[in-house]
Amino acid sequence: MKIIVPMAGRGSRLRPHTLTIPKPLIPIAGKPIVHRLVEDIAGVLNQDIEEVAFIIHETFGKKVEEELIAIAQKLGAKGTIYYQNEALGTGHAIMCAKDSLSGPAVIAYADTLIRADFDLDKNADSVIWVKQVDEPEAFGVVKLNEANEIVELVEKPATFVSDLAVIGIYYFKDVAVLKNELQLVLDNNIIHGGEYQINDGIKQMMAKGMTFVPGKVDEWMDCGNKNVTVETNSRMLGFLHNDGEHLVDFDVKLENSTIIPPCYIGKNVVLTNATVGPNVSLGDGCHVSNSTIQNSLVQTHSHIKNANLDNAMIGNHASFDGNFTSISIGDYSVLE
């Protein structure tokens, strides 16, 4: 089994946090988004992963590439890097990894996290992972027949089609079939919204009678902008806490301070006259003093004092001193 991860965009909606690192490497509960995504998919598949292919922009740099290769290696898989240097759509991104498009594979976009527990239908030609939503008109949805097979993909339907939203994770029994259809999309310049889309390849597969079925996930968490990323961090902390995962480093230094679970506290964190939690992530090397922080995500080596923070997202090596509440500041920022 292979996992193909298109992640070429840095994430403009999450600036300033993505000015120095790409969005898929933003930590959620202490672990990068893409790392959690790949691990969760591997857990659902419950089989050996032979390769994880990442499609990135070449400006991400060698350090990022090394981190991605390490993610694959932790799963016992080969890590492969491909480049998409022009934002030409999902179909184009996948085809940038065409040398890896063979055999069974999962394609997953690296700006989402899931919680799922279902058996993969390996008899189907493809499984499209979906989540039941309250407002399907805001999403792309799947239309099912009486046999619970997907017969149509509908983007943001004006009238009700179904409440099963496509979350951007797909299984293909032989991804080479999708590769061939996407090559036709590129060759015939089939463009929607100015881009080459995976859906056009999927629709051609459906037209040829291939079987698509839904795989329903229990939780679908977005990391598109600051507010939803902070919310996703809170939700993930709750799940991991309920799973019994140890989230607070044993070496945290507490001076007249309290940690209210669930929280992730990294290495070499110092808390002085502080109350942290619930739903807070503090990365390695953070110092917090005379502050109360809840429902917030703070990355590494940041210093916070005299603060009362809620729904805050703070980057790496930042310094914050004040009484602001809902904030979003990036790496190396200073507010005094």
Side-chain angles (χ1 to χ4, degrees):
M1 179 71 71
K2 298 177 181 179
I3 302 177
I4 314 296
V5 187
M7 49 179 289
R10 276 193 170 269
S12 59
R13 291 187 297 149
L14 202 51
R15 291 174 182 167
H17 305 283
T18 53
L19 292 175
T20 54
I21 60 172
K23 178 172 65 176
L25 293 181
I26 295 289
I28 296 294
K31 188 176 292 186
I33 294 168
V34 67
H35 195 159
R36 289 202 177 279
L37 175 66
V38 170
E39 282 187 345
D40 289 345
I41 290 172
V44 172
L45 296 175
N46 195 29
Q47 55 186 287
D48 292 338
I49 307 299
E50 66 175 271
E51 180 182 7
V52 183
F54 301 94
I55 301 110
I56 67 174
H57 196 284
E58 63 181 352
T59 59
F60 281 17
K62 293 301 179 185
K63 183 175 184 296
V64 169
E65 293 181 19
E66 290 170 0
E67 290 179 27
L68 295 174
I69 296 298
I71 290 171
Q73 290 175 341
K74 286 180 180 178
L75 294 174
K78 170 188 175 184
T80 311
I81 302 294
Y82 294 97
Y83 301 114
Q84 184 195 27
N85 292 329
E86 296 180 89
L88 297 178
T90 56
H92 178 265
I94 293 163
M95 289 300 287
C96 290
K98 60 183 178 181
D99 289 346
S100 293
L101 299 181
S102 61
V106 167
I107 295 173
Y109 298 108
D111 59 356
T112 190
L113 291 172
I114 61 164
R115 300 281 285 185
D117 183 16
F118 64 85
D119 293 326
L120 194 67
D121 186 348
K122 297 174 185 174
N123 293 318
D125 295 300
S126 177
V127 178
I128 299 179
W129 295 15
V130 298
K131 176 70 173 71
Q132 194 169 25
V133 295
D134 294 330
E135 299 177 350
E137 65 275 9
F139 302 92
V141 301
V142 297
K143 183 178 180 180
L144 306 179
N145 61 15
E146 293 181 355
N148 199 44
E149 297 171 344
I150 299 171
V151 294
E152 190 177 357
L153 299 175
V154 183
E155 185 65 25
K156 296 181 179 179
T159 58
F160 184 82
V161 174
S162 87
D163 58 0
L164 298 177
V166 178
I167 69 170
I169 306 178
Y170 311 81
Y171 162 78
F172 295 91
K173 186 163 63 175
D174 184 2
V175 76
V177 178
L178 176 69
K179 173 184 175 180
N180 293 336
E181 299 301 336
L182 287 177
Q183 188 63 58
L184 292 174
V185 169
L186 297 179
D187 292 344
N188 292 285
N189 201 33
I190 300 173
I191 293 177
H192 288 95
E195 297 179 337
Y196 301 100
Q197 303 290 354
I198 185 177
N199 281 0
D200 289 310
I202 289 173
K203 289 175 181 178
Q204 290 174 178
M205 292 175 67
M206 289 180 177
K208 294 178 179 178
M210 295 183 178
T211 303
F212 285 72
V213 299
K216 295 182 182 180
V217 300
D218 301 315
E219 299 287 345
W220 172 30
M221 295 163 281
D222 188 21
C223 299
N225 59 41
K226 172 249 175 177
N227 285 335
V228 298
T229 300
V230 171
E231 179 185 357
T232 290
N233 181 70
S234 296
R235 292 173 64 189
M236 183 58 71
L237 286 170
F239 294 136
L240 297 175
H241 178 75
N242 291 337
D243 289 345
E245 187 166 328
H246 184 77
L247 298 173
V248 177
D249 190 81
F250 291 108
D251 293 331
V252 60
K253 294 182 180 179
L254 297 175
E255 300 176 17
N256 191 33
S257 297
T258 302
I259 298 172
I260 304 173
C263 286
Y264 169 82
I265 309 292
K267 297 181 181 299
N268 301 315
V269 170
V270 178
L271 304 180
T272 306
N273 299 320
T275 299
V276 174
N279 304 319
V280 173
S281 286
L282 293 178
D284 293 351
C286 285
H287 287 224
V288 179
S289 61
N290 303 317
S291 299
T292 298
I293 307 177
Q294 60 183 337
N295 305 313
S296 296
L297 194 167
V298 182
Q299 296 187 52
T300 63
H301 304 288
S302 289
H303 288 234
I304 300 167
K305 62 182 179 179
N306 306 320
N308 181 12
L309 299 180
D310 187 0
N311 189 37
M313 185 168 177
I314 297 177
N316 302 282
H317 301 277
S319 176
F320 178 72
D321 181 355
N323 294 307
F324 298 95
T325 55
S326 180
I327 66 167
S328 180
I329 61 176
D331 297 356
Y332 299 97
S333 299
V334 177
L335 293 179
E336 296 181 333

